[in-house]
Amino acid sequence: MKLRNKLSAVLQAMLIACALQMRFSPVLNREDYKSVIHYLYAQVTGLLGEYSFSGLLIFVMALIFVLRMRQMDCQKQYSGRLLPFFFSFCLLVGQSYALAGNWSLCFGGGFRVIGFLLAFAGYGILFRFLIALFLGVYQRAVNSDWRPERLESFLGKNCFRNVFLLLMLLWMPVLLLSYPGNLCYDCLGQIEQGLGLAPYSAHHPLLHTLIVSAFIKVGRLVTGGNDAGLFVYVLLQASALAAALAATMARLAKRQVSLAVRLAVVCVYVFAPMYSNMASTAVKDVPFLAAVIWYMLLLEELVTEGMEDRRPLFWLRLILVQVLVGLLRNNGIYMVVLTGIVVACKSIFSRGKAVEKIGVGKIRIGKRLALLLCLAVLPFLTYRAGNELLVRGLSAERGSVAEMLSIPFQQTARYLQFYRQELSQEEKAAIEGVLANVDVVAASYDPDISDPVKALYQRDSGPGRLAQYFKVWFTCFLKHPSVYAEAFLAHVYGWFDPGVTNAVRYEAASDLFRQGGLFPGADKILIFLYRFAEFIPLLALLENVGMYTWLLFILAGVALRGRKRAGILLVPLFVSLLICMASPCFYLHPRYAYPILFTLPFLYGIIGGHETREAGQ
């Protein structure tokens, strides 16, 4: 190795070690130090850190790692630069927001910027190597011919039955200990509506409200109590989720995906704590996830096998599943419709061989428009009609438009905390016409969650008031764009930062149901186990939203570089990520991202499988 390469390796190792040891500390004030020299010394030592033996070991290990990765010529697996440094930015800015609530620890002064740039470079180098290493392992697994007979038999012909029974067997202890079921506050509110204890509201999906309350009512008729009905519902929703996951394994087997990849996917299903956690929790997200997975399976079949010679029953199933996705979660229809538009437009505007690459064959313009009809128009219209029937039939309160305005409302509230004295009376009136008194809005701002500000939304605000509000909102953005940027990052950084711990187990209490689980203290056992799992690195990563977001971007890069038609299956996941960013918060609510977490392992198998088959064509 040439001297220049050796020096380059040492420099990369130093930057990696610097990044790994970087610890953000509060911003230092010059007034707190006797002299400029003392102040500069504190800044430099805070930047470089003190000498420690562990720091030396980190540098040595980083150097060995860099040299080894260079020997492996990692650029053969991954030569990109944008994604690693994007990940580095997300991690560092996420740390700043987690500790200070703003980006001051990264950009609050010259020394902060220098420290940020050093760590930014170090993490960027590290993540580039790690992505290459990950992709190398992934490609080996995709192309592996490892096929132990017993394992192949288990994940082969009878894969659906075997995986379904395996998951239910592993989830059953948690289901029993949680008896009659772990409760989420949202579902508890829905049950109260269904039992007539509260008025119906379209804030939560009315179809799910009717389903879960129906089980409670039947259980009351049979046993005289609420527990049995809730437990049966939890068992059935767990069965639906297990069946959907088992179907993904059956599809991977059908696509002849390597056994190594199939084993990795089923291991995620088995060991990730979120699967058993959600299966035992009465919450709308579980049946919604089952519907999303079935939707992905049908979409994958369409993309892989094309639309020619499709029987009417297939289109009927597809439309019904898409409608179900919308009816089981209010924002689910956006994922379906936007995905349908993208897939159909890809077909409509493609020509010749390009049409074949999206997996829908050489189809006439009429059939392409029919594809748009089946993937977007009909599902949307049917969903709207079904939801309207439910709202009117139950005399339910309609959902608020404020649910879609988390980001602009948060930006306005943060702006008012710093600059409301700059607003004219007309501008204040425009804001107060949609929210509340500007002083109240400013005091209600919480960077972690938008609900306190959204609660101030005046439901009688019509299009005129909203138009005036957004005019002021845009004017304020032009005056102080950094405030809007900080409010936006504070609201969304947790979806992109694996350093954020966002695993959760809901434990809502209610007098309607038995407390404590199957026996006194059973719920405490489960809480301990799920909380303890957050401290085990591998298990924590298996349910970390930020990590799955990074994996989504990596897989998108694989699909783009390989020009794989199956890459279009990632569109619903990116739409889901946008929905997450517009949601009230990420803190302790990772279930908003579960469409990504619960389908990404399957898509790694599908897109990898497509790579193998397309290379052999």
Side-chain angles (χ1 to χ4, degrees), residues 31 40 58 107 186 231 257 317 325 365 408 525 535 540 600:
E31 295 76 13
L40 292 176
I58 291 174
F107 309 118
D186 287 354
F231 183 64
V257 174
R317 287 167 53 205
V325 169
I365 188 66
I525 295 174
F535 292 89
L600 195 59

Side-chain angles (χ1 to χ4, degrees), residues 79 97 106 128 172 178 239 277 365 377 382 550:
S79 58
Y97 273 93
C106 292
R128 188 182 177 197
M172 193 55 67
S178 299
S239 300
N277 184 8
I365 188 66
V377 178
T382 308
W550 288 17

Side-chain angles (χ1 to χ4, degrees), residues 140-154:
R140 288 183 63 181
V142 164
N143 299 311
S144 173
D145 57 1
W146 174 70
R147 291 179 178 275
E149 183 177 348
R150 290 187 177 181
L151 194 56
E152 179 63 42
S153 175
F154 184 83

Side-chain angles (χ1 to χ4, degrees), residues 588-610:
L588 291 182
H589 289 283
R591 60 188 176 89
Y592 295 143
Y594 277 169
I596 301 173
L597 275 66
F598 278 69
T599 59
L600 195 59
F602 163 66
L603 291 178
Y604 260 91
I606 287 294
I607 292 178
H610 270 267

Side-chain angles (χ1 to χ4, degrees), residues 263-283:
L263 178 61
V265 173
V266 81
C267 282
V268 173
Y269 294 168
V270 167
F271 292 109
M274 63 184 177
Y275 287 89
S276 60
N277 184 8
M278 292 306 295
S280 62
T281 302
V283 62

Side-chain angles (χ1 to χ4, degrees), residues 495-550:
W495 302 115
F496 298 89
D497 179 12
V500 174
T501 300
N502 45 23
V504 64
R505 178 168 173 82
Y506 295 100
E507 296 288 346
S510 172
D511 294 335
L512 293 173
F513 302 101
R514 174 181 182 151
Q515 302 296 307
L518 183 63
F519 54 82
D523 58 336
K524 301 298 187 296
I525 295 174
L526 291 173
I527 291 174
F528 171 81
L529 291 175
Y530 283 109
R531 295 289 184 266
F532 182 72
E534 297 174 15
F535 292 89
I536 301 176
L538 180 59
L539 295 182
L541 285 179
L542 285 177
E543 58 180 0
N544 183 280
V545 173
M547 180 56 64
Y548 278 80
T549 302
W550 288 17

Side-chain angles (χ1 to χ4, degrees), residues 3 35 126 132-133 226 248 283-284 330 348 392 395 512 550:
L3 178 61
S35 66
L126 177 62
L133 186 62
N226 298 325
T248 65
V283 62
K284 59 181 177 261
N330 292 338
I348 291 172
R392 293 191 178 186
S395 300
L512 293 173
W550 288 17

